[in-house]
Amino acid sequence: MLSFDTIVARATPAGKGAIAVVRVSGPNAFAMVDGLLKSKISLKNSHTAYLRQFFDAEGMIDEALVLLFKGTKSYTGEDTVEISVHGSDYIVNRLITALLQQGCRVAEPGEFTQRAFLNGKLDLAQAEAVADIIAAEHRFAHDQALKQLRGGFSDDISSLRDRLLHFTSLIELELDFGEEDVEFASRDELTHLVQNIKIKVDALKDSFALGNALKQGFTLVLAGRPNAGKSTLFNALLNEDKAIVSDIAGTTRDAIEDRLFIEGLSLRLIDTAGIREATDVIEQQGIARTFKHIEMSGATLYIFEAGTLSVPDLQADLQELSSKTDRIWVVANKMDSFSGDIGQYSDVVARETQLPMWQISARDRLSVLQFTKELAKRFEVDLGILDDQTVVTNARHANSLLICSQELQHILDGIANNLTGDLLSFHLRTAIRALSAITGDIDNEEVLGNIFSKFCIGK
Ligand SMILES: Nc1nc2c(ncn2[C@@H]2O[C@H](COP(=O)(O)OP(=O)(O)OP(=O)(O)O)[C@@H](O)[C@H]2O)c(=O)[nH]1
Ligand SMILES: [Mg+2]
């Protein structure tokens, strides 16, 4: 265990509450807390709770529950005391002041977790997951943070790194034999290994675009021609009469947005002005905004009125949209009043988007409910966020994966061009370092400081 001073901070938010927790961690944590008690606590027993009265020079501060965690068995990896007082800012401040007089220091943001990392209780990716799990506001973000906290992501990274390390040592052994021209590391095997690892690294790296969008809140834009039923569907999904609906084409003139939660995902749902040749300047601006939203969207839900829109017009719309966004999901609306051949529409949609078309009636509750379920399924299946899949949600990790991927490419090119062992070994080592940086084998204090300063105090 590394040796530090003893730190104190409140671990629960400010304000009134049933209880507030003050946390003390460091080599003198027990003694400093004990200094405020008349009735002493036994320091022998870890994981024990005591009900005790706390005193300072003025008198009694509060009666509180004291939890002891000894040495390596604590969150931080050092002696820790958690004191649950009555949830009053006055009591908390007075207790912390008394502990400061005992010799504690006020903790920096994230310092408890930083100590956990430095004492080897968590690797860096796990420590970062602590901040993510506190920030998670919906199931997807929570699931990913939990997976990362429990070490699943770190295990994936470590196993990739170990395989690269094995080959590096073989190549470096060749270098030791210098002149003798031996080859311990078969170039064919190395190529095969690096290709395999690169596929995994790239998949993780590429999952960040989606992971980040989902963590922040994925943007889903409703777009289509006037009167297609965009605002009707917007209101139905939100279960709220938020946007004006009318049979006058061009009703919605400005974009309207709200947050939509479906199946544990947080979406930014945006209703937009219908796309057509504008009839006035305001509508023109509204339509320009529609296109801007489409370009920035995670996915665009393109809605059309079955029966009214011609098949060639549908095709033209989809082709125009595909120049602005990668993900177009198509909905045929007003199926309640349509009696023609829907196949001609779905064929075009399948051809242009490679995805099936939904058929709904935005006015019908049951139809919208069914649609919501299918929408959730599309997120899970088509966007690849199934439960067992690792999705990268942290920009620092994505950047390290990018560096690793580039180095792996250098190695592949190098083998093809008969690059010497020492240069291969250099690229292998850089690739390994990039992976190591994710789980925290880095010695750069600035990087560590930057990561932990984003935590809240007391964490
Ligand atoms: N029959 C039927 N009518 C619908 C359905 N959905 C919407 N409508 C009607 O279609 C008309 C247009 O609906 P809106 O939701 O305002 O259409 P919009 O796409 O927002 O139109 P703009 O804002 O003008 O671009 C309204 O009269 C709706 O009641 C549906 O599923 N079936
Ligand atoms: Mg509208």
Side-chain angles (χ1 to χ4, degrees):
M1 195 179 80
L2 298 159
S3 145
F4 298 108
D5 49 2
T6 300
I7 52 174
V8 60
R10 75 183 292 164
T12 45
K16 288 194 179 77
I19 55 168
V21 176
V22 172
R23 209 185 219 176
V24 187
S25 179
N28 297 319
F30 289 172
M32 285 174 182
V33 171
D34 211 43
L36 302 178
L37 306 175
K38 286 209 176 111
S39 162
K40 300 298 171 192
I41 44 184
S42 158
L43 306 180
K44 277 189 236 121
N45 307 324
S46 184
H47 294 67
T48 312
Y50 297 87
L51 188 64
R52 285 293 183 273
Q53 293 175 343
F54 280 76
F55 293 87
D56 60 11
E58 314 283 309
M60 185 166 136
I61 305 173
D62 197 10
E63 188 166 60
L65 198 67
V66 184
L67 278 172
L68 293 187
F69 302 92
K70 238 174 129 79
T72 53
K73 287 182 177 168
S74 69
Y75 175 70
T76 55
E78 53 190 19
D79 287 354
T80 301
V81 186
E82 284 184 11
I83 308 166
S84 301
V85 292
H86 292 101
S88 128
D89 287 342
Y90 171 73
I91 293 175
V92 169
N93 291 337
R94 198 166 142 188
L95 177 62
I96 290 179
T97 306
L99 286 163
L100 295 180
Q101 281 161 0
Q102 292 286 310
C104 282
R105 169 172 69 72
V106 174
E108 304 286 337
E111 199 171 359
F112 291 92
T113 308
Q114 184 167 15
R115 288 189 174 191
F117 165 67
L118 293 171
N119 286 323
K121 300 292 290 184
L122 299 169
D123 68 33
L124 200 52
Q126 287 175 311
E128 286 168 310
V130 173
D132 285 348
I133 208 161
I134 294 170
E137 285 181 345
H138 48 94
R139 201 188 73 203
F140 171 79
H142 173 259
D143 284 353
Q144 292 304 322
L146 198 59
K147 204 181 293 173
Q148 196 173 316
L149 181 62
R150 297 177 70 191
F153 177 58
S154 304
D155 290 347
D156 290 351
I157 296 294
S158 302
S159 94
L160 293 174
R161 190 188 49 196
D162 289 349
R163 289 163 67 187
L164 286 175
L165 264 174
H166 173 67
F167 259 85
T168 313
S169 46
L170 288 183
I171 285 196
E172 289 178 0
L173 200 59
E174 280 175 20
L175 297 178
D176 289 345
F177 280 77
E179 315 293 288
E180 295 173 35
D181 209 16
V182 284
E183 209 175 86
F184 290 109
S186 142
R187 297 305 186 255
D188 281 349
E189 256 180 72
L190 182 59
T191 305
H192 188 65
L193 171 90
V194 172
Q195 275 167 345
N196 271 335
I197 293 181
K198 188 163 183 296
I199 289 170
K200 297 212 171 80
V201 168
D202 285 348
L204 284 173
K205 164 177 76 70
D206 295 341
S207 74
F208 176 66
L210 175 68
N212 190 43
L214 290 171
K215 184 169 153 190
Q216 311 291 343
F218 189 89
T219 307
L220 190 62
V221 173
L222 292 168
R225 298 200 179 200
N227 262 347
K230 300 178 291 299
S231 301
T232 308
L233 181 60
F234 179 79
N235 289 344
L237 287 170
L238 294 172
N239 221 348
E240 190 185 338
D241 254 345
K242 181 149 181 169
I244 299 173
V245 167
S246 87
D247 59 1
I248 303 165
T251 303
T252 308
R253 307 206 118 201
D254 204 348
I256 311 174
E257 77 166 87
D258 210 331
R259 189 163 277 258
L260 171 69
F261 289 95
I262 50 166
E263 302 281 324
L265 284 172
S266 161
L267 307 178
R268 244 181 100 201
L269 187 66
I270 305 182
D271 181 23
T272 61
I275 302 165
R276 64 170 174 183
E277 287 293 326
T279 54
D280 60 54
V281 188
I282 297 174
E283 187 175 17
Q284 200 175 9
Q285 283 191 21
I287 295 171
R289 285 184 187 193
T290 299
F291 280 116
K292 210 177 279 165
H293 282 298
I294 291 172
E295 280 166 18
M296 312 271 286
S297 70
T300 296
L301 263 186
Y302 172 84
I303 306 174
F304 70 95
E305 180 174 343
T308 306
L309 189 73
S310 74
V311 174
D313 279 350
L314 172 64
Q315 181 164 16
D317 281 5
L318 295 181
Q319 283 170 353
E320 187 185 358
L321 281 181
S322 66
S323 66
K324 313 216 176 292
T325 176
D326 293 338
R327 217 171 267 132
I328 308 164
W329 296 343
V330 184
V331 182
N333 189 27
K334 308 199 191 180
M335 288 306 291
D336 53 300
S337 59
F338 176 74
S339 56
D341 168 22
I342 197 70
Q344 47 176 349
Y345 289 118
S346 28
D347 289 349
V348 169
V349 172
R351 205 164 50 238
E352 296 295 331
T353 70
Q354 279 77 53
L355 286 168
M357 173 184 89
W358 286 301
Q359 301 171 32
I360 67 162
S361 174
R363 266 191 192 168
D364 175 31
R365 237 356 284 124
L366 274 180
S367 171
V368 172
L369 209 63
Q370 179 61 27
F371 170 67
T372 311
K373 284 195 185 127
E374 289 176 18
L375 196 57
K377 217 181 292 162
R378 183 156 292 185
F379 275 102
E380 276 193 14
V381 181
D382 294 355
L383 293 189
I385 51 164
L386 291 170
D387 284 350
D388 57 347
Q389 200 145 349
T390 304
V391 178
V392 175
T393 56
N394 180 307
R396 193 182 69 81
H397 302 170
N399 190 45
S400 290
L401 289 163
L402 173 68
I403 295 171
C404 179
S405 168
Q406 288 167 341
E407 289 301 326
L408 295 177
Q409 190 56 51
H410 286 318
I411 296 166
L412 291 174
D413 296 345
I415 298 171
N417 295 317
N418 286 324
L419 204 64
T420 53
D422 53 346
L423 286 174
L424 287 181
S425 145
F426 168 78
H427 288 302
L428 273 165
R429 291 224 162 256
T430 317
I432 290 167
R433 243 199 333 273
L435 290 180
S436 301
I438 294 175
T439 47
D441 298 325
I442 43 176
D443 35 19
N444 187 333
E445 284 212 8
E446 209 176 306
V447 176
L448 289 183
N450 187 27
I451 290 168
F452 287 104
S453 65
K454 297 203 185 87
F455 279 66
C456 45
I457 301 248
K459 198 57 240 170

